[in-house]
Every structure is written in C-alpha cells, then in structure tokens.
Amino acid sequence: TEFEVNAPSTVEMGERFRVSFSLNARPESFEAPVFNGFRVLSGPSQSTSTSTQIINNQVTTTVSYSYTYILEARSEGSFTIPSATATVDGTQYSTDEFHLEVLPSGQRGQQPGRDDSRQTEETTVPGPEDIFIRVSASNIAPYRGEQVIVSYKLYTRLPVTNYSVESLPGFSGLWAENLSETRQTQPSVEEIDGVNYNTVEISRMALFPQRSGQIRIEPMEVEMTVRMRQSARQGPGSLFEEFFGGTSLFDRYQTIPHKVSSESLSLSVKPLPYENRPENFSGAVGTFSLVSSISKEEVKVNEAVNLVVRVEGKGNLRMVDAPRVRTPGHVEIFDPQIRDNITPGRDGIKGNREFDHLIIPRRNGRIEIPEIEFSYFDPERKVYVESTSGPFIINADGDPGSETPLSQARNNIQEDIRFIRTRNVGLTPAGRLFFGSSTFFILLLAPPLLLIIFALLLIRHKNIVQDKTGMRIRRAQREARKRLVIAKRLLEENRREEFFDEVFRTLWGYVSDRLNIPVSKLSKNNVYEAFRSVNIDVELAQNFLEGLGECEYARFAPGGRESPMERTYKKAMETIITLERELRNK
C-alpha cells in the first residue's frame, strides 16, 4: 500500500494550485491535514481510476484513489503541511510532510537557476471573469410588505457539467416565496462588454420585507464542476501554440470542482405612510380587489347561510386578514374558514384568498348586513385604496321561538328537569368535625406544595424556551418525519421534481436542526466537519452527502438523469434513522 502527496514546492502570493493525495488501495477513512496559511477554494474532490495490463498472459490491475484540493496562497513565507492519514484494512497510513515556499507575486520567474524551457504541466483555475453570479432585484427601495422579485443568474464562458446550491442566502426580516420553475431552466446567451456568456437562472424568489430600514441579503454560494484545459508546454510561445492559435496538440482537459458566490444585496425598506391610513387597514400591500357573495337570501330561522368574502390580486396575499363583517346582535356569525388559491409565477405571487363565514339568524324578519370594507396600500400609486362590497339583505322566516332539537333539549335540562341522583349519598356521622381531620391538613398543605411545583415547572419551561439550540435538536427528528410523509405522498403521485426537492429540504433541515448549523452556513464541507466532530461513522456521513447529491443532480443536472425515487426515499429515511440513533448514543 502506497500513500503519496503531489504538490508544487514553490507558489506565488495569491496563486491557486492543486494538492492531490493518492492511494493505491480502497480507504476506509481519509483525514486531510490542516492547510494553515492557505485558503481552501474547493475539495476534497474524490476520483477513482483503474488500469489493467496484460503482459505475457499475466494480468496486472492497478487501482488509484485520489483526493484533490484547490488552494490559494494567502501569505508569504515557508510552510510545512502536515501528513494526511488514511485507513486501509484496519491499518493507518500517512503521507510525508511537504514544504511549500510562497514567494511575492511576480517573483517566481526571477529565481536563479529556474529552467522555464523544461516541459511542465499547467492547470488553469477559473477566474472571476470566467464564471460569476449576478443577483438582481425588481426594487431595492420597497415599502414594508411590498413584493420584491430577486433573481440569481449564473454566467459562464467555460463548460459547466454540473452545479448545485451549496449555501442558501439568509432572509432575516423577509418573507420568502420560491418562484423557480420545477423543470430545469434552459440556458441562453448574453453579451457583457463584448463577451458572450452562457447564462441560466438558478433561483428566483419573491421577498416581502417585514420591517423597515436596511435589510441585507446574504450571498448565495454555488458549487459546480468545470471542464478546464490542462496543457503540456515546451516553454512559452511554442511553435505548436503559434500555429494552432494558442492551443497545443498536447492539451488535455480535466474536470475540476469550483465554487462561486454572488454578491450580497441590500434593500432600503421604507415604512408605510401614516397620512390618510384607513382605520381598518391590516397590512395588505399590493393591488387587490374585493368580491363577496351570499349563498341564499330567503332562509328559515336557525338555518345557516354562507357569506364568502374573496380578496384577489397581486401582493402579500398570505398575510391578508379577513375583512370585518358586521351583523346585527340577533345574527350569530362564526370565524371564517380560509381557502387559498395562490399561484407563484415569474412576475410574483398572485391569486385569491377566500374567507367563508357561517351566519345563522336567530330571529325572523329582514336582516341587513352592511357593506364589507377592505383597504390596502398600492405601492405603485403610493396611496391607500379602499374597496367595498355589498350590502346584503337576508329575509328570515319562521317562529322565533322555534329552536333546534339540540338547543331545546339543553334548555329543558337546565331549566325544567333535574337529573335523578343514582349514586350513593355520602353521609357523615354526627359529631365528627372537618376541622383537625387528616383531610383538613392535606388540603391546608396542598396550596404551598402546588405553588412550589408550579414555580419549578415554570423555571424549567423558561430554561427550555431559552435553550434555542436544545429546541432545534429536539424538533429535528419530528420535522424530518413530517417532511418524509409529504415526500412519500409526492412519490405515490409520481411528482418527480417536487419529490426530490422535498427530500433535499428534509435532509438539509434535519442536519441544520440536529447539529445546530445555521442555514446561512450550511455546506457539504461544514456538514462533513460537523459529523467528524461528533465521531459519526465516515460511511454514514458519506451516505448522507450522497443522498444530497442524488437530489441535487435530479433537480439541477442538465438533461435530468433518471434516479429511482423509491430508492432515494428509502435511503433518506434509513440515513436519518441511523444518524438519529448514532447521535443519541454519542
């Protein structure tokens, strides 16, 4: 068994370079060294290669496992990188320590004795002008509650074979709704400063600010694999490069991992104006209309009537409260049943929200329900708008004294009829006093004891509520179980895109709550390090990350590779169950 490291001995300040650890046997575990003084841009990128040779009828097979990191030099000086370790068949192997010298930028070519004419292999790394993410907002100075469309677009002029969202942006102070289409978005071509880029929209969201002031949206991180040219050169300006326009016949291509982040975005949220604000305004912001209807106008006393009030339009519909319905005192009205018919589209959230009221007249005669009023703030016109519907007239017929069988029976029991006592009557012997009895002292001591118990329970409850980390850990499995039930239903309905999206959110949500990792810091590297910190089995951690990878590939991979949904569901469920058992044992 051979375990080796391959890295350059000299790099320049700010230069990106590769460090690769190679092993000629299948490892049970791999532990990388700490790269102090260097920034880890990506890795470990795992790869496996197998070669077979037949010489004189003798077959020789060689297997190689490699772990590759892309590093960036951050400070000058001499550095010693510690050994990497791997376990094969229960035996631990280590690489040799290696030394790196980081020179000031531009000085490596000035070293004496350096031979630039010898053949070297160079691998380029994507620059910020090759691949980047742009974030745009429909309005960076919205009103509180106004809908803002935010789009994240990936621009690249290099072949990208796969990409996945590594870290979701944080939306503190915002209500977010996903507007991205479930199917894979087709790429297009855009020209920027005379350069054509392939571009694809990787995320589109509708955001609703919940407070005024400055709100910062954290960057989005995307991890991808990029196909880069790796050229074998014979010194700068070779005849081959000159003849073939800068390329060489000896060029090779290699797929390397790469991570790119968008810029942060700041919204300057304006408060809603106080001037001319209606009294019945409840926070609706957008463009709406009010429609209402009644199921019948001629009814009997104690007969139910449905009054449906519908608010429809475009804006923060999920935050719209039921408009007030005023009725006479002899008309009983119940809390409404709410039905949402809200559709997310590229231009935002629109649809309608219905409030179904149940009304029961308790007297006969003509009943008038006044106009129903609804007010909202229109951010385009910057004014408050009041909309009305109605009034409605209901004619109730019948005997006001007539009641439903249930209410009649209740009145008879309460006023006219007393139940016959069927239990034994408790008699106390004459001369025995309650004062001084054992029951008297028990009841006397009970209040202070109950008060102490209540105080202890209250303190315990406050500690539990304040322990946000503990609450997240306790609810992790419960929330994952709820999401898996939804994923099971999507599996049975064969809703492929929504199924993989739900399983992906289940795995991310579980590990975020169970290991107390903020959503803004969720990444595969952080999750892997968190598993290592609690001594989770490496194979189990890899199963968890593979489940995420399957969901990401099914959701985002160009062409949509087919992945068995039943297998993904069972694997996610078994992984969460095993992780929960392991974490509890730890």
Side-chain angles (χ1 to χ4, degrees), residues 284-478:
V285 179
T287 305
F288 304 103
S289 61
L290 181 67
V291 181
S292 56
S293 62
I294 197 166
S295 60
K296 59 182 76 174
E297 297 179 352
E298 303 290 335
V299 297
K300 298 291 184 182
V301 174
N302 299 321
E303 183 180 354
V305 180
N306 288 93
L307 173 62
V308 178
V309 181
R310 184 170 67 251
V311 178
E312 55 187 19
K314 181 179 178 181
N316 58 349
L317 278 167
R318 298 191 192 277
M319 305 174 193
V320 172
D321 295 331
R324 181 184 177 188
V325 178
R326 293 171 293 173
T327 58
H330 58 276
V331 176
E332 190 171 1
I333 182 170
F334 296 88
D335 291 336
Q337 180 182 359
I338 301 176
R339 291 188 294 268
D340 287 336
N341 183 21
I342 300 174
T343 305
R346 287 193 57 82
D347 56 347
I349 302 296
K350 57 186 177 180
N352 63 73
R353 168 170 272 204
E354 286 187 352
F355 304 91
D356 191 348
H357 299 264
L358 189 66
I359 297 176
I360 301 178
R362 297 303 186 187
R363 297 181 188 174
N364 59 7
R366 183 176 183 272
I367 301 171
E368 180 177 357
I369 299 177
E371 283 188 338
I372 302 172
E373 300 175 347
F374 173 72
S375 61
Y376 63 93
F377 180 76
D378 189 336
E380 295 182 359
R381 298 160 55 189
K382 300 180 181 180
V383 295
Y384 289 97
V385 181
E386 295 189 57
S387 181
T388 60
S389 179
F392 298 98
I393 304 298
I394 301 175
N395 294 315
D397 188 19
D399 184 6
S402 65
E403 297 181 277
T404 61
L406 180 60
S407 61
Q408 183 176 2
R410 182 174 64 248
N411 291 337
N412 288 339
I413 292 173
Q414 292 179 350
E415 298 176 5
D416 301 332
I417 301 175
R418 296 298 178 191
F419 289 107
I420 298 175
R421 188 178 185 90
T422 58
R423 295 177 296 174
N424 294 329
V425 178
L427 301 177
T428 303
R432 179 180 297 178
L433 298 178
F434 174 74
F435 179 80
S437 63
S438 57
T439 305
F440 171 80
F441 288 106
I442 292 175
L443 296 178
L444 185 65
L445 296 175
L449 290 176
L450 292 175
L451 182 61
I452 294 174
I453 294 174
F454 175 79
L456 294 175
L457 292 176
L458 182 61
I459 293 173
R460 181 176 180 272
H461 176 72
K462 287 183 178 180
N463 292 335
I464 292 176
V465 170
Q466 293 174 356
D467 184 14
K468 295 182 179 180
T469 300
M471 292 183 66
R472 291 186 66 189
I473 293 174
R474 285 189 292 272
R475 76 179 184 185
Q477 187 182 21
R478 181 174 67 253

